[in-house]
Amino acid sequence: MTTLVDFLQKEIASLKEQNIFTTLPVFEGQQKNRVVLNGKEVLTLSTNNYLGFANNPRLAEAAKKALEKWGFGTGAVRQIAGTMSIHNEFEKQLAEYKKTEASLVFCSGIAANRGTIQALMRPEDAIISDELNHGSIIDGVRLTKSERKIYPHMDMGGLETALKETQGAAKRLIVTDGVFSMDGDIAPLDHITELAGKYDAMVMVDDAHGDGVLGKDGRGIVDHFNLHGKVDIDMGTLSKAFGCLGGYIAGRQELRDYLITMARSFIFTTAHPPAVVAACSEAIKMVQDEPIHFERLWKNAKHFKDALQGLGFDTGRSQTPITPVIVGESGKAVELSKKLLEEGIFVKPIVFPLVARDKARVRTIVTAQHTSEDLDFAVEKFKKVGKDMGII
Ligand SMILES: *Cc1c(COP(=O)(O)O)cnc(C)c1O
């Protein structure tokens, strides 16, 4: 018989040996361009706070006002007694912004993916999924008994083959990340919806890294490709560029109605505190009436990516503010991250199982809050450490 302690000690030793054991970095103070880690100020290139909304005073003010009006907690799940008018009003606002009929907020993005896929897909159906889709999509697929087909990353030939092979299924769902979280490349959603139309399949896109980043006023990937009305399920998160917390589904009114009754990750969890909802609502207003954040984000991202590429780093296929610096073995990525931290730059190594074993990397995300001095400083340090380690 293995005891819990024996099991844990053995597993942890093994994870450490593989250089994939992680601990939690802890920050003092606000999430901004420079943060305090272990008593030392460092420049961070690791947050999803794309627009700088997480620490924006306008958001904090909206939350404070809601706190005074509504109190803090909700005391129940949405279905039973937790829904306040602020929840429904926000979902209307979000749907209008996303140009869909309706939306529904979940406690997180992972809950939105799990609950939606679980509720919609039956044993007689088929799910067709990009091989690099986010773990929360994979979890959602695992909650179903549907047939699964995994197609090579962004390979439209592979997708078409999977569609041909699943013609017997009752209904079919193509599911893809919009912006892939580890590489920063953008799914060819125009081609995907075309194939879906040809083969009569549904499309679900995970816009976690496209929300606030792509499209007019940050409306996301559907707007970026002008595919309004052609994507059945537009999933996104309020936790990244919007600086708050929560996941959501945008689409038809019937989709919302159905998920309220059937999505287990929606049914069995307590409603968002009103202060969080108010901050989400302010974020959706702010992304539209303060375009400066969006403009700065893209200016910074382009500048930084060009500089890293100019130095000869392998930045993969990135087309967005996510810029990976791919180095190969996980040990090397861990060392690069450690050396950069000594120089005052915080970037987490991303290793297996988040990416393939031989594609370990540090993943950088510049935000609207980085100054041009920040970016010059970061480029200089990447150059120094990259040369020291023989990467460039
Ligand atoms: C972060 C992320 C999620 C999860 O969103 P949360 O709101 O943080 O739970 C889902 N999908 C993708 C692609 C993500 O990057």
Side-chain angles (χ1 to χ4, degrees):
M1 195 56 124
T2 311
T3 66
L4 176 63
V5 174
D6 285 347
F7 168 80
L8 294 174
Q9 288 180 346
K10 190 164 154 266
E11 286 300 311
I12 289 170
S14 155
L15 294 171
K16 283 185 174 164
E17 212 168 283
Q18 298 170 69
N19 276 315
I20 59 176
F21 182 72
T22 9
T23 55
L24 303 176
V26 180
F27 302 99
E28 311 287 336
Q30 300 196 351
Q31 290 285 359
K32 50 191 177 79
N33 54 342
R34 291 183 188 249
V35 290
V36 178
L37 176 68
N38 301 327
K40 182 181 157 191
E41 191 186 82
V42 292
L43 174 69
T44 178
L45 292 171
S46 281
T47 83
N48 302 315
N49 186 17
Y50 288 103
L51 301 170
F53 282 11
N55 60 316
N56 187 296
R58 221 177 118 178
L59 243 66
E61 197 50 46
K64 248 189 256 171
K65 272 201 190 125
L67 196 58
E68 279 159 21
K69 179 170 176 194
W70 300 89
F72 190 73
T74 54
V77 303
R78 287 280 300 271
Q79 254 193 343
I80 296 181
T83 302
M84 296 158 145
S85 52
I86 190 171
H87 292 105
N88 280 356
E89 277 157 24
F90 172 63
E91 285 164 341
K92 278 208 189 92
Q93 178 196 2
L94 182 60
E96 235 165 73
Y97 169 69
K98 297 292 287 189
K99 301 192 177 178
T100 57
E101 272 180 25
S103 82
L104 186 68
V105 173
F106 290 68
C107 62
S108 65
I110 186 169
N113 273 333
R114 283 181 176 166
T116 305
I117 299 172
Q118 162 265 317
L120 290 173
M121 301 309 286
R122 301 275 163 84
E124 64 274 20
D125 300 330
I127 304 172
I128 305 170
S129 175
D130 187 292
E131 66 176 339
L132 293 188
N133 275 346
H134 191 256
S136 57
I137 295 177
I138 296 169
D139 277 15
V141 175
R142 284 180 180 160
L143 290 172
T144 73
K145 294 195 169 77
S146 304
E147 182 186 355
R148 297 113 208 247
K149 291 274 179 199
I150 314 295
Y151 61 92
H153 182 52
M154 290 196 189
D155 178 351
M156 293 300 100
L159 172 57
E160 186 155 15
T161 303
L163 284 162
K164 282 182 182 152
E165 286 169 356
T166 51
Q167 305 253 28
K171 63 182 188 301
R172 294 179 291 169
L173 177 69
I174 304 169
V175 58
T176 182
D177 276 23
V179 174
F180 285 83
S181 53
M182 296 304 158
D183 291 278
D185 46 352
I186 302 174
L189 200 59
D190 46 350
H191 293 143
I192 293 173
T193 50
E194 229 176 86
L195 282 171
K198 184 169 163 194
Y199 289 93
D200 216 9
M202 308 179 286
V203 176
M204 172 169 177
V205 68
D206 176 337
D207 219 2
H209 287 278
D211 273 328
V213 174
L214 294 180
K216 177 158 174 12
D217 297 331
R219 277 186 176 75
I221 189 168
V222 174
D223 194 79
H224 172 80
F225 284 109
N226 196 18
L227 294 170
H228 295 289
K230 294 198 174 139
V231 171
D232 303 278
I233 304 160
D234 190 349
M235 173 272 166
T237 177
L238 302 156
S239 328
K240 289 181 173 141
F242 297 135
C244 301
L245 182 70
Y248 70 86
I249 293 293
R252 293 183 64 98
Q253 182 65 42
E254 294 95 327
L255 180 64
R256 175 187 148 94
D257 296 345
Y258 178 74
L259 292 175
I260 287 174
T261 311
M262 292 303 291
R264 295 174 67 83
S265 63
F266 177 84
I267 301 167
F268 293 109
T269 195
T270 296
H272 262 31
V276 175
V277 182
C280 292
S281 169
E282 198 65 21
I284 301 299
K285 281 183 209 144
M286 207 154 70
V287 73
Q288 296 173 81
D289 65 28
E290 293 186 22
I292 182 79
H293 309 287
F294 186 83
E295 287 156 18
R296 273 207 206 114
L297 168 67
W298 278 97
K299 187 167 160 262
N300 284 348
K302 184 175 180 330
H303 176 84
F304 190 63
K305 198 188 303 286
D306 286 351
L308 288 182
Q309 284 169 350
L311 287 172
F313 284 106
D314 176 3
T315 60
R317 306 178 288 261
S318 170
Q319 300 162 269
T320 63
I322 297 175
T323 304
V325 174
I326 301 167
V327 294
E329 293 306 310
S330 52
K332 209 164 172 187
V334 172
E335 190 190 344
L336 174 60
S337 160
K338 215 168 119 193
K339 292 213 154 123
L340 284 167
L341 186 59
E342 284 163 15
E343 299 287 338
I345 310 272
F346 178 73
V347 265
K348 271 282 261 189
I350 306 275
V351 298
F352 181 83
L354 289 177
V355 291
R357 282 190 194 272
D358 62 344
K359 293 263 189 227
R361 63 198 61 191
V362 297
R363 180 186 58 166
T364 70
I365 300 181
V366 295
T367 72
Q369 285 186 319
H370 287 116
T371 63
S372 51
E373 296 81 61
D374 287 337
L375 299 180
D376 291 346
F377 175 76
V379 169
E380 200 45 49
K381 297 304 183 187
F382 264 94
K383 183 175 168 189
K384 176 169 186 282
V385 175
K387 287 212 159 127
D388 287 351
M389 286 180 62
I391 298 167
I392 53 168

